[in-house]
Amino acid sequence: MTESVKRCRESIQDIHLFRNISDAELDKMFACSKTSERTFCDESYIFRQGETPKNLFLILEGCVMLAKDFASGKRDVLFLVEAGDVFGEMFLFADAKKYWYDAIAQGSVRLLEIPWDFFYCFCSNACDHHRLITKNMLEIQSEKNFSMTRKLHLLSGTTLKERIALWLLEQAAQGDIVHLTMNREALADYLGTTRPSLSRELMKMQQEGLITVEKNVIKLSDSRALEELY
């Protein structure tokens, strides 16, 4: 195990991918898989559309945008993944030869790269960490499928106002405050609109007393009225 991976041990204790895997098994896994740690600066690409998939990625620090860019210049933001999340797993389990979206660092990012060969080549010792990490990966995949279903539900809103309302209610599931983890342009891409249209609609919703917007924080002033929009 490399020194850089040893130093990240404290960062991975509560990460789902490594759940119930002991420190000793983690040491074996990192050595067996040839896991490496990498860092990326803001707006740099972890991978680009068209490149050949080779690794599973796990974020230790920072945030990564998964987005599909089109020749027209339009960008469709698929997801934002944060510390503790994995990405690239759909290419691991699907028969895909190339990435069809970009992974772009949002701010400084530190992550682990786990080569795919590790997930496919079980060693002759039948190591316990192989069984556990496969189980954890299937659980993560199920959660990702649920997230994708939620986005499809979100985009089913017929108007931008409905999509904004549904997104805010989902983000504020545990309260009435939403902290924006993406800028307005990225949020507009995620909601399938333009930044000016998003800003105008947010301003209208604030004037109607539905929300209060302060920089990167949106407070839901009338959750019941938001629910009635869709």
Side-chain angles (χ1 to χ4, degrees):
M1 180 170 54
T2 66
E3 288 300 318
S4 61
V5 172
K6 287 181 180 178
R7 289 196 299 271
C8 79
R9 287 289 292 276
E10 293 184 1
S11 305
I12 65 177
Q13 296 302 314
D14 299 318
I15 289 176
H16 193 163
L17 184 63
F18 303 130
R19 184 176 294 170
N20 298 322
I21 300 179
S22 68
D23 288 346
E25 288 291 325
L26 277 176
D27 290 344
K28 292 179 183 178
M29 191 200 75
F30 286 140
C32 177
S33 64
K34 296 180 174 61
T35 293
S36 61
E37 180 184 347
R38 295 185 63 190
T39 58
F40 296 84
C41 60
D42 185 35
E43 293 298 321
S44 60
Y45 285 79
I46 289 92
F47 58 74
R48 292 178 180 267
Q49 299 175 83
E51 293 181 349
T52 302
K54 295 180 180 178
N55 302 297
L56 177 73
F57 301 89
L58 186 146
I59 302 176
L60 298 175
E61 294 177 358
C63 178
V64 174
M65 175 193 293
L66 305 182
K68 175 71 174 177
D69 288 330
F70 298 89
S72 63
K74 184 182 182 299
R75 169 174 286 176
D76 181 12
V77 175
L78 305 174
F79 291 104
L80 286 182
V81 285
E82 302 177 324
D85 292 335
V86 300
F87 63 97
E89 78 288 342
M90 71 166 59
F91 300 97
L92 171 63
F93 296 109
D95 185 22
K97 307 300 182 184
K98 295 181 179 180
Y99 290 117
W100 61 270
Y101 58 71
D102 298 318
I104 310 164
Q106 304 295 287
S108 178
V109 170
R110 187 166 65 97
L111 54 76
L112 294 181
E113 288 186 348
I114 307 176
W116 284 1
D117 290 347
F118 173 73
F119 292 92
Y120 289 122
C121 302
F122 288 83
C123 63
S124 58
N125 294 326
C127 300
D128 196 42
H129 61 253
H130 258 126
R131 177 184 63 81
L132 288 171
I133 201 169
T134 300
K135 175 179 179 293
N136 292 340
M137 193 66 250
L138 290 172
E139 291 174 352
I140 291 170
Q141 188 67 29
S142 295
E143 292 173 358
K144 290 290 185 72
N145 289 339
F146 179 64
S147 295
M148 181 62 74
T149 301
R150 290 177 65 185
K151 182 167 185 183
L152 291 173
H153 177 49
L154 170 68
L155 294 178
S156 68
T158 57
T159 68
L160 175 57
K161 190 175 186 178
E162 291 173 354
R163 297 199 297 274
I164 293 173
L166 182 54
W167 183 79
L168 288 171
L169 289 167
E170 288 187 346
Q171 295 300 306
Q174 302 302 319
D176 60 359
I177 299 294
V178 175
H179 295 274
L180 299 180
T181 58
M182 59 181 104
N183 59 36
R184 289 285 181 91
E185 185 173 354
L187 179 56
D189 289 336
Y190 184 79
L191 293 174
T193 187
T194 63
R195 180 174 177 175
S197 296
L198 173 63
S199 295
R200 284 195 298 270
E201 196 60 60
L202 288 173
M203 186 177 298
K204 288 180 184 178
M205 294 173 74
Q206 180 165 257
Q207 292 170 346
E208 293 169 1
L210 299 173
I211 60 174
T212 301
V213 183
E214 293 184 9
K215 295 183 178 179
N216 294 324
V217 176
I218 300 178
K219 183 179 186 301
L220 278 59
S221 304
D222 193 339
S223 297
R224 184 180 293 270
L226 288 171
E227 290 175 359
E228 292 175 352
L229 289 176
Y230 69 93

